[in-house]
Amino acid sequence: MTALIAVLLLLAAGIWFGATADAVAEAAVAGHPVRAALTSPFRRAALMLSRQAIATEHPDRLNRLLAPACYLVLAAAGLSVIPFAPGMAVTDIATGLVLWGACEALVVVVVFLNGWSANAPLPLIGGYRYVAIGLPAMLISMFVLIGAALPAQSLGVGAVVESQRVLINAVRQPLGLPLFLLLGLSITLRGPFDYGDSADLAGGTHAEASGAHRLLWRAAKLAMLTAFSAMAATVFLGGYLGTVLPGPAWLVLKTALVMLVLVAITHLVARVPPARMLTWLWTVLLPLSFVDLVWAGLEAMR
Amino acid sequence: MTLSDIAFWLFSAGAVWTAWRVFRTDSMVRASFALMLSFFCVAAILLLLSAPYLGIATIFMMAVEMMVMALFMVMFMMNPAGLNPMMMVHQHKVSIGAGVAAFAGLGAAALLTDLPHHAVAAGKPVIRDLGTELLGGSMLIFETAGITLLATMVATVVLSSRSGRFGAADEGSRPPGLEPGGKPAGRAPERDSDHSHHAEHGG
């Protein structure tokens, strides 16, 4: 029960923190006053809520309604396997990493359906483009996560944290965290991996969304950012492990750190054309994830 | 009737209903994701059977597979959005025959096999046992099946991508006219040595 409340609190706080960090980073990069950016997420949210909902011609109403809600649910489901302290997780199943993998895979489906269901050109292009980039990015993360599970000899997230008491996985498997961060950019539709919701498609999969629908989609993206950051902090940075402070505080601090890194990448790194990104993914990054897996295996046998 | 019995019947009904929807919908994308939901119900039943890895891995694999399937079907069927209504069932007699034969075969296999009916002991390392099985005694079977499936997929794409809807893809194909005997719709294929194609573009 405590873990469930912790998950909901972390999600709510993460949405606020992510939105604020995004606004501040945007203002800093653009040279605008940063102080005004601190409150702008609330203003923007209120503005979105007050706008009328627009309807496209012959949309798939069911999927259009379900997509943002499912995105939000996937973020919560991903967080449910993360321990805030030893044994303090909503569900400490032995297949936690596989559950997280299923959430990643379903994000691709949900983003595609969000673009597809509008029955409009730009969201549809965003949806297809996202699938092409999102699936290989997810493959990479799978190999990286298997690498992280090797020293723990378990697919349970709690066991992965406990295996990092001596050395955190970010140091033990140096390729793991950077490759995993790419997935984070991809499943939260951010910066160099934002092929679904990008500005060159006027907002991509949510180009035709307005009002509460748009607000919910944005919030769900930030919720997924929180869930991903907590997962990265748990699997690669030791999660709740740390001295002096209590476990949950360490987890929140590490989560915030990963979020800030992702927000910085979002606003500082440019997006390359999808075709070039696809080539990089299959010819450079995927082989790198194999190297990471071999590295993890050799290290675990040592 | 225990709670897991009720859950079993609910998920079974869900699996059958969503599978039926696959054939009643008029869109390839909807059909793909209805099939995905059907598999999710089966995955939930696997979870009820104390097969946590298989259950969650089924959800994971089916999400990816159905996404890829939707993408490839739309790509090859030239129905750009998948939202255009189209007939999803064809070759009625053959498919009814195949369906009945498959149902009878699988049903007989399920009824005639001596399946274990004792509950899985709590604390049994089911995931470890599964791993030992997959990478031990049954490794050759699974690896052979994996390679065969991969080769089949690559071959299918190679074979089906050549024949475009309006002729061989590597020769350049032309769609039919928008009205009978009218000008071809869409772009004319590129022909470097032929200068008359400027006239075809005209209008």
Side-chain angles (χ1 to χ4, degrees):
Chain A
M1 196 61 209
T2 355
L4 192 63
I5 294 168
V7 161
L8 294 177
L9 280 179
L10 184 60
L11 270 185
I15 292 173
W16 166 78
F17 183 71
T20 309
D22 255 340
V24 168
E26 202 179 331
V29 169
H32 293 156
V34 170
R35 184 176 285 273
L38 284 172
T39 51
S40 72
F42 292 104
R43 261 182 287 126
R44 278 196 222 170
L47 202 61
M48 269 187 244
L49 261 187
S50 64
R51 291 219 168 111
Q52 63 171 343
I54 49 168
T56 51
E57 193 185 343
H58 293 301
D60 184 316
R61 285 208 175 74
L62 180 69
N63 283 317
R64 203 160 155 68
L65 281 175
L66 279 180
C70 286
Y71 200 4
L72 196 60
V73 167
L74 285 174
L79 268 183
S80 72
V81 292
I82 290 172
F84 286 80
M88 191 186 145
V90 176
T91 164
D92 193 16
I93 50 172
T95 47
L97 286 182
V98 191
L99 183 88
W100 169 256
C103 289
E104 287 178 8
L106 283 168
V107 165
V108 181
V109 173
V110 162
V111 173
F112 172 78
L113 281 178
N114 192 48
W116 180 82
S117 60
N119 193 24
L122 293 179
L124 185 74
I125 296 169
Y128 280 138
R129 224 167 66 160
Y130 181 72
V131 172
I133 302 290
L135 283 179
M138 196 199 65
L139 274 186
I140 291 170
S141 89
M142 287 296 108
F143 292 114
V144 168
L145 285 179
I146 294 171
L150 276 179
Q153 301 192 3
S154 166
L155 290 166
V157 182
V160 172
V161 177
E162 286 304 320
S163 75
Q164 301 177 73
R165 284 225 177 253
V166 182
L167 191 61
I168 56 170
N169 278 339
V171 179
R172 194 191 279 160
Q173 304 164 4
L175 281 173
L177 185 57
L179 286 174
F180 195 55
L181 286 182
L182 301 184
L183 169 92
L185 294 170
S186 173
I187 63 169
T188 54
L189 300 157
R190 282 184 161 264
F193 275 84
D194 182 9
Y195 290 98
D197 277 10
S198 52
D200 61 346
L201 293 176
T205 69
H206 74 312
E208 299 284 348
S210 68
H213 183 182
R214 194 181 185 86
L215 180 66
L216 184 61
W217 183 252
R218 292 261 174 124
K221 281 204 276 190
L222 291 167
M224 188 47 86
L225 176 70
T226 315
F228 168 81
S229 304
M231 194 39 127
T234 302
V235 174
F236 290 101
L237 299 176
Y240 56 73
L241 298 179
T243 51
V244 186
L245 289 173
W250 274 111
L251 181 70
V252 169
L253 282 178
K254 291 170 182 174
T255 303
L257 177 73
V258 177
M259 282 176 88
L260 287 178
V261 170
L262 286 177
V263 167
I265 297 175
T266 305
H267 294 281
L268 294 176
V269 182
R271 186 174 49 241
V272 300
R276 196 183 297 167
M277 178 56 90
L278 205 58
T279 311
W280 284 354
L281 277 171
W282 286 106
T283 59
V284 180
L285 298 172
L286 199 64
L288 268 183
S289 72
F290 294 153
V291 172
D292 175 74
L293 197 54
V294 172
W295 185 314
L298 292 177
E299 209 278 336
M301 280 197 297
R302 196 161 50 86
Chain B
M1 201 182 222
T2 62
L3 208 58
S4 51
D5 284 338
I6 298 171
F8 169 78
W9 287 110
L10 280 179
F11 286 126
S12 304
V16 172
W17 188 72
T18 44
W20 172 65
R21 291 308 302 165
V22 172
F23 298 97
R24 300 307 301 163
T25 182
D26 56 4
S27 143
M28 289 181 294
V29 170
R30 285 195 196 109
S32 303
F33 291 118
L35 188 58
M36 183 182 82
L37 289 181
S38 183
F39 276 116
F40 283 4
C41 290
V42 175
I45 293 173
L46 281 173
L47 289 177
L48 289 175
L49 290 171
S50 303
Y53 182 83
L54 288 180
I56 299 180
T58 302
I59 295 179
F60 170 73
M61 296 309 292
M62 286 306 141
V64 178
E65 273 168 33
M66 294 306 145
M67 188 66 257
V68 172
M69 188 169 93
L71 195 74
F72 269 64
M73 284 203 299
V74 172
M75 233 157 65
F76 280 117
M77 299 294 281
M78 298 190 186
N79 176 353
L83 267 173
N84 295 4
M86 67 176 289
M87 192 65 172
M88 290 300 291
V89 282
H90 46 86
Q91 291 171 287
H92 292 193
K93 279 185 186 146
V94 182
S95 40
I96 289 172
V100 169
F103 181 76
L106 291 174
L111 289 176
L112 298 178
T113 312
D114 186 19
L115 294 166
H117 47 268
H118 52 268
V120 178
K124 195 174 191 292
V126 281
I127 300 173
R128 191 173 291 268
D129 290 353
L130 178 71
T132 317
E133 181 64 33
L134 287 183
L135 297 175
S138 311
M139 190 172 187
L140 186 65
I141 301 169
F142 278 99
E143 293 301 310
T144 314
I147 301 282
T148 313
L149 281 174
L150 182 66
T152 313
M153 278 193 288
V154 173
T156 311
V157 172
V158 168
L159 288 177
S160 54
S161 58
R162 181 165 183 269
S163 61
R165 193 173 186 175
F166 308 115
D170 51 358
E171 285 170 13
S173 53
R174 309 199 62 184
L178 291 173
E179 55 210 60
K183 249 184 218 165
R187 276 187 310 173
E190 302 264 343
R191 259 169 290 148
D192 289 337
S193 56
D194 187 357
H195 292 278
S196 65
H197 70 281
H198 291 293
E200 291 164 17
H201 276 301

